[in-house]
Amino acid sequence: MCGIIGMISNRDVAEHLIEGLKKLEYRGYDSAGFGVLNDRGFVVSKEVGRVAVLEPRSSEAQDAKIGIAHTRWATHGQPTQINAHPHVSQNGRFMIVHNGIIENYSVLREYLSKHDFKFKSDTDSEVIAQLIAHEYKNNTMQAVREALSRLKGTFGLLILDREDPGSLVAVRQGSPLVIGIGDEEYFAASDISALVQHTRQVVYLNDGEIAELTLSGYRVSNFADVTVVNEPTEIDWEIEEIEKGGYEHFMLKEIFEQPQSLKQTMAGRIIPDEGSVKLGGITAIEEDTLRRLNRVIISSCGTSWHAGLIGEYVIEELARLNVEVEYASEFRYRNPVMGADDLVILISQSGETADTLAALREATSRGAHVMGVCNVVGSTIAREAGMGVYTHAGPEIGVASTKAFITQVAVLVMLGMDWGRLKGHLSNDQTCDLVEQFNAVPDLVRNVCDQSDTIQAIAGEYADCRNFLYLGRGVNFPVALEGALKLKEISYIHAEGYPAAEMKHGPIALIDENMPVVVIATQDPVYEKVISNIQEIRARQGRVIAVATEGDKEIRQHSDHVIYVPEVNPIFSPIVNVVPLQLLAYHIAVLRGCDIDKPRNLAKSVTVE
Ligand code: AGP
């Protein structure tokens, strides 16, 4: 999952391409490159490492009005300069950048080698440039379409023809691509964050579409050269939202934005005056379908899967609906029993995760109802699901998801409350009470964010640890999983989350004075059970960091460190309890000198299998 951007304009494009690429860097950052076309032909510059290394090179690319650029997350071929993009065809005429995977690249390489093509790189992408050159007779677009018809896999693709400096070609099949309509200039990029500084008018390409961008306009067509009309959409993000705003890292900024993000998620949906919940995007599923529903299946990946697990507890508790949670990557290849009495909820911050998108298509093909819970407006999962709820967390740039997670949980809580009332399991008074309590949660989260310094001090005592265990019970078991994932992702410390009672069935063997154990021990019906689990750890010299409810003095006797959070209804507690775990992971990773926003080997949106 790389980031690609292209631009055709009356102004020089090199610097703007590099600026745009920086905004896409969270998609992949092991090497980068750009290629422009000016009177002297193609000017290509590519390097291992971050986009910033390309900056000085933009001066070599003067008076180029058209160009493409790429930031890489390697799938085929090591992160080397030769494997970085752009790739140019052997005859020097066609240049491409590619996001995705060409599954049949080795067959195509072999075929092209038999036609005297020599390959410089180990990538799958280079075959695309060579194939266009191979197919070229006398018409570039025809050669492009011929080449596309031979590719298997996923591709977001930008193509330049040295002999046609007036046209930039963008192709989408399985990887996200959006067109930006500027003032006498046009852009194509993997997502809107690279475009907002130039334009708010965008056109989302669908799979199987090609856009030809020229200074006089653009044309979208399908692979069979039939014109397609895609209406432009207005972007509602502000530039500031995708800047750091004085924070050292996007992750810290996004942790502190959580109270505001929650308010945005609740706005117009939580109606305290009426004591009700209104979710406009899913009216289609309401009432009779809901009554007939046999099962809700939540399918997603990573942190979104953890949100799904919390959704299972909350929706079963509030709406008495049978809920199952599935890893999308497994769900898509299993032969799941599913049909018209099932609702499949796909949760995805980016709305572009390949496995979750495939799970959506699998559910649709089996006749199930589908709905999306996404953060990125206009993303593929959101558009293909047709109905759903946007989390409105605002742009999330840090690879480690934080504000998107708690807004996903907030949406699942609102679904539980809404469906509980609709199915008559919650009386109006109960819903009213829950809505009032829920409306107070953003301020409780603010309260926890303000403890960042205290948590930083605790982090100082654990930054050299090599392993961690995270324990929680009930609705806080998935929070333990999420806390462990945050630490793994950004500090590279091995960490595992477990249901607290499961510890006795194996993981307890790991516990000694070198094993810190983070335990979520807030006030709820299983509190006493959690205290016994803590004592089992202490009996083996384990070091305990407890997340506990303000005013809980007893827990101090059983813990090395306690992080207090405000009292909250247990059904809402994951939203509050995850914040100390986000901050603990953040501060430990900072103390270990890790790259917080761009952790090694990761990317923000996983658009390949
Ligand atoms: C979370 O911090 C990670 N970035 C990752 O696990 C992420 O949650 C997963 O890739 C799913 O992404 P999505 O929500 O955009 O589909």
Side-chain angles (χ1 to χ4, degrees), residues 272-580:
D273 306 350
E274 294 170 18
S276 70
V277 178
K278 285 202 174 49
L279 295 162
I282 56 165
T283 44
I285 197 88
E286 300 279 298
E287 300 296 346
D288 64 342
T289 314
L290 198 61
R291 288 186 204 296
R292 279 200 332 269
L293 266 189
N294 155 35
R295 180 178 50 163
V296 172
I297 300 169
I298 300 176
S299 188
S300 47
C301 305
T303 284
S304 297
W305 182 74
H306 294 152
L309 288 174
I310 295 169
E312 179 177 29
Y313 285 87
V314 169
I315 294 172
E316 284 188 348
E317 176 66 27
L318 296 176
R320 304 312 294 146
L321 269 167
N322 167 18
V323 180
E324 293 171 10
V325 183
E326 303 275 356
Y327 275 121
S329 53
E330 289 299 314
F331 183 65
R332 63 176 297 182
Y333 286 117
R334 221 182 60 231
N335 183 12
V337 179
M338 189 171 32
D341 292 339
D342 294 316
L343 166 67
V344 178
I345 303 178
L346 298 308
I347 306 177
S348 175
Q349 186 287 127
S350 60
E352 302 294 351
T353 299
D355 286 321
T356 309
L357 181 57
L360 180 157
R361 291 172 176 165
E362 186 65 31
T364 307
S365 70
R366 289 170 187 258
H369 301 276
V370 295
M371 63 172 277
V373 174
C374 297
N375 190 44
V376 177
V377 174
S379 57
T380 310
I381 291 173
R383 285 182 291 121
E384 289 202 15
M387 101 173 140
V389 182
Y390 280 122
T391 50
H392 297 312
E396 188 175 69
I397 309 292
V399 167
S401 182
T402 52
K403 62 179 182 176
F405 172 71
I406 68 164
T407 58
Q408 289 164 350
V409 175
V411 166
L412 295 163
V413 164
M414 290 192 284
L415 288 174
M417 292 195 283
D418 186 30
W419 292 347
R421 186 185 51 73
L422 279 171
K423 288 177 68 78
H425 293 296
L426 291 177
S427 67
N428 285 348
D429 289 353
Q430 286 173 312
T431 312
C432 197
D433 190 26
L434 283 172
V435 163
E436 193 186 330
Q437 291 177 40
F438 191 51
N439 203 34
V441 170
D443 294 338
L444 304 181
V445 170
R446 165 68 54 215
N447 171 306
V448 184
C449 290
D450 296 344
Q451 295 186 53
S452 181
D453 297 348
T454 314
I455 297 169
Q456 183 181 28
I458 294 172
E461 306 215 11
Y462 295 91
D464 300 332
C465 293
R466 299 170 59 84
N467 298 287
F468 263 75
L469 263 184
Y470 285 72
L471 302 178
R473 274 185 181 251
V475 72
N476 282 298
F477 155 50
V479 177
L481 290 174
E482 178 58 11
L485 178 61
K486 290 286 93 80
L487 190 70
K488 278 184 272 204
E489 282 189 276
I490 60 173
S491 76
Y492 318 142
I493 294 175
H494 172 243
E496 289 190 68
Y498 265 89
E502 259 313 287
M503 183 185 56
K504 291 192 286 300
H505 306 287
I508 196 165
L510 299 169
I511 295 184
D512 60 19
E513 61 283 359
N514 302 316
M515 175 62 87
V517 185
V518 177
V519 186
I520 299 150
T522 45
Q523 296 300 323
D524 64 19
V526 288
Y527 173 77
E528 295 307 329
K529 307 287 180 204
V530 174
I531 291 296
S532 335
N533 297 132
I534 290 178
Q535 285 161 335
E536 288 153 8
I537 298 162
R538 301 284 278 183
R540 288 138 186 101
Q541 284 72 51
R543 298 162 73 194
V544 173
I545 302 168
V547 176
T549 304
E550 277 163 11
D552 177 348
K553 297 207 175 16
E554 186 206 346
I555 193 109
R556 274 209 172 286
Q557 305 156 32
H558 309 297
S559 314
D560 298 82
H561 292 94
V562 181
I563 302 168
Y564 284 107
V565 296
E567 176 140 21
V568 63
N569 181 323
I571 209 98
F572 307 144
S573 63
I575 296 176
V576 173
N577 293 348
V578 75
V579 180

Side-chain angles (χ1 to χ4, degrees), residues 172 176-178 190-192 202-206 233-237 349-352 374-384 390 392:
R172 176 192 166 134
L177 206 54
V178 57
S190 298
D191 70 48
I192 53 177
V202 298
V203 172
Y204 292 97
L205 288 188
N206 298 306
T233 312
E234 180 87 10
I235 301 177
D236 62 2
W237 282 357
Q349 186 287 127
S350 60
E352 302 294 351
C374 297
N375 190 44
V376 177
V377 174
S379 57
T380 310
I381 291 173
R383 285 182 291 121
E384 289 202 15
Y390 280 122
H392 297 312

